[in-house]
Amino acid sequence: MLHIGCHLSSSKGFLAMGKEAVKLDADTFQYFTRNPRGSKAKAIDPQDVERYLAFIQEHHFAPVVAHAPYTLNACSAEERTREFARMTMADDLQRMEYTPGGLYNFHPGSHVGQGAEAGVEQIAAQLNEILWPEMTTTVLLETMAGKGTEVGRSFEELQAILDRVELSEKMGVCLDTCHVHDAGYDIVNHLDEVLTEFDRVIGLSRLKAIHLNDSMNPLGSRKDRHQKIGEGAIGLEAFARIINHPALRELSFVLETPNDNAGYAEEIRVLRGLYRE
Ligand code: FE
Ligand code: FE
Ligand code: ZN
C-alpha cells in the first residue's frame, strides 16, 4: 500500500490530526512541532497523545513526520541565533519521546556567507550536543533547493554533516522532490541515476521519508516554490515513477503542496490510483 499523507495543522492536538488524516484517506502526515516561526510550544496533553497512539496503531499508520520550525538556523553567523536553534531542537526532541520512534525533520540551515564547510561544522556540532543514546526518534536532514546560502543542496553536503555526527544511527534524510529538482537533480528524466547517486554518496538506507511537491520552477533554478502535483515542472508521470520506485515505494510520502484539505484529498486519491500494488 502507498503510505501517503499531507502537512496538517497541529493546533487541535495529536488525535485531531490522526482523524483528519484518515478523512483524507491518508495513513501518515506531517506537522510542525510548534508555530513555524519558532515560538513557544504548546504543552503536551498526555491523554490526547495516548488516544492518538492507539488511533494510529488501529489505523495502521506509517511513520509520521514532525517538522522543526523552518526559521531555525543551526549555522547562523550569530551565536544567539544558533543557540536558539539548539535550545528549540533540544526541547522538540524531548517532546518527541511522547510519540516514540518518530521522525523529526529539519532544514540544515543557511550559512549566510560563512561558507558551506563552516555551516556543516556548526550543524554537526549542534546535533552532537542535542542527540542522546537512548532517544527513539530518527532526526532527518531535509534535502534543500540551494536558495541563498542554504546548506544541504547536494548529497555531498548532507553526507558531510552525517559524517560528523557521533550518534550517526539516530540520523536519516528526508528527500523533498521540489527541492532536489530545484537543486539540479533531474528526477524527471533520470530518477534511477539520481537515486544511484544518493546511494553512492549517502546510502539509501538513510532515506526515511519523501516530501512530494511539484515545482513552479525549472530544473536547477534554486528557487523552492512548491506547486500542486502534476501542475509544475516535475509532472504527474514523474510522480508515478517516484512513488512506485523500488527504492522509495515503502517510505512515508508527505504532500506539502499549496492546497486546502479538499485539494490534498484529491492528490492522495490520484496518487493512490497510480500506485501499483
Ligand atoms: Fe521542509
Ligand atoms: Fe519539504
Ligand atoms: Zn520547500
Side-chain angles (χ1 to χ4, degrees):
M1 194 177 85
L2 176 62
H3 301 306
I4 187 167
C6 60
H7 190 91
L8 295 174
S9 160
S10 57
S11 62
K12 294 191 189 110
F14 281 102
L15 182 61
M17 288 191 285
K19 287 185 171 171
E20 198 176 344
V22 166
K23 271 195 205 145
L24 302 173
D25 195 23
D27 66 341
T28 181
F29 63 92
Q30 175 175 273
Y31 65 98
F32 283 125
T33 52
R34 60 187 74 216
N35 176 303
R37 302 211 68 85
S39 63
K40 222 176 118 237
K42 234 174 68 193
I44 299 259
D45 171 359
Q47 198 176 35
D48 175 47
V49 169
E50 194 183 320
R51 288 185 183 146
Y52 159 77
L53 292 174
F55 183 87
I56 63 169
Q57 192 176 13
E58 189 187 323
H59 288 85
H60 308 289
F61 271 46
V64 165
V65 184
H67 196 307
Y70 49 73
T71 47
L72 300 184
N73 190 4
C75 56
S76 167
E78 302 285 332
E79 157 94 61
R80 256 182 45 227
T81 307
R82 292 200 302 273
E83 172 68 5
F84 180 70
R86 185 176 69 79
M87 301 277 289
T88 306
M89 281 184 46
D91 184 50
D92 275 353
L93 291 177
Q94 294 296 330
R95 295 155 53 87
M96 288 292 293
E97 292 298 318
Y98 283 93
T99 52
L103 303 173
Y104 179 77
N105 174 65
F106 79 106
H107 296 182
S110 294
H111 65 69
V112 292
Q114 304 186 91
E117 215 166 298
V120 161
E121 294 291 349
Q122 289 173 335
I123 296 159
Q126 171 166 318
L127 288 163
N128 284 330
E129 284 185 65
I130 64 177
L131 305 184
W132 72 99
E134 298 80 19
M135 67 186 282
T136 66
T137 304
T138 302
V139 176
L140 309 183
L141 302 170
E142 182 165 353
T143 61
M144 301 312 291
K147 177 166 50 63
T149 63
E150 275 173 351
V151 177
R153 175 180 63 92
S154 67
F155 299 156
E156 283 79 4
E157 278 180 12
L158 294 172
Q159 185 54 35
I161 299 169
L162 295 170
D163 276 339
R164 289 165 174 75
V165 178
E166 286 147 23
L167 293 172
S168 161
E169 71 278 13
K170 307 294 180 191
M171 298 296 303
V173 173
C174 172
L175 186 148
D176 185 309
T177 56
C178 170
H179 297 178
V180 292
H181 171 269
D182 287 14
Y185 291 101
D186 189 358
I187 54 173
V188 177
N189 302 299
H190 299 285
L191 179 62
D192 272 330
E193 290 88 335
V194 171
L195 293 174
T196 300
E197 180 73 356
F198 186 100
D199 194 36
R200 184 182 67 79
V201 177
I202 299 177
L204 281 165
S205 63
R206 290 272 187 204
L207 190 53
K208 304 295 180 190
I210 308 284
H211 284 166
L212 275 186
N213 303 304
D214 213 325
S215 173
M216 288 190 183
N217 293 290
L219 179 70
S221 60
R222 298 213 191 174
K223 284 281 204 276
D224 188 5
R225 297 280 309 281
H226 301 186
Q227 179 56 292
K228 292 184 170 124
I229 299 298
E231 295 184 20
I234 298 176
L236 196 56
E237 278 177 39
F239 284 107
R241 288 191 290 272
I242 290 165
I243 60 174
N244 285 295
H245 196 283
L248 311 178
R249 54 184 288 118
E250 305 294 333
L251 298 173
S252 288
F253 291 93
V254 176
L255 297 160
E256 302 174 309
T257 44
N259 273 307
D260 55 15
N261 275 4
Y264 280 136
E266 177 60 14
E267 288 187 346
I268 290 168
R269 191 189 66 78
V270 167
L271 290 163
R272 287 205 184 286
L274 292 169
Y275 192 71
R276 289 188 293 275
E277 295 299 336

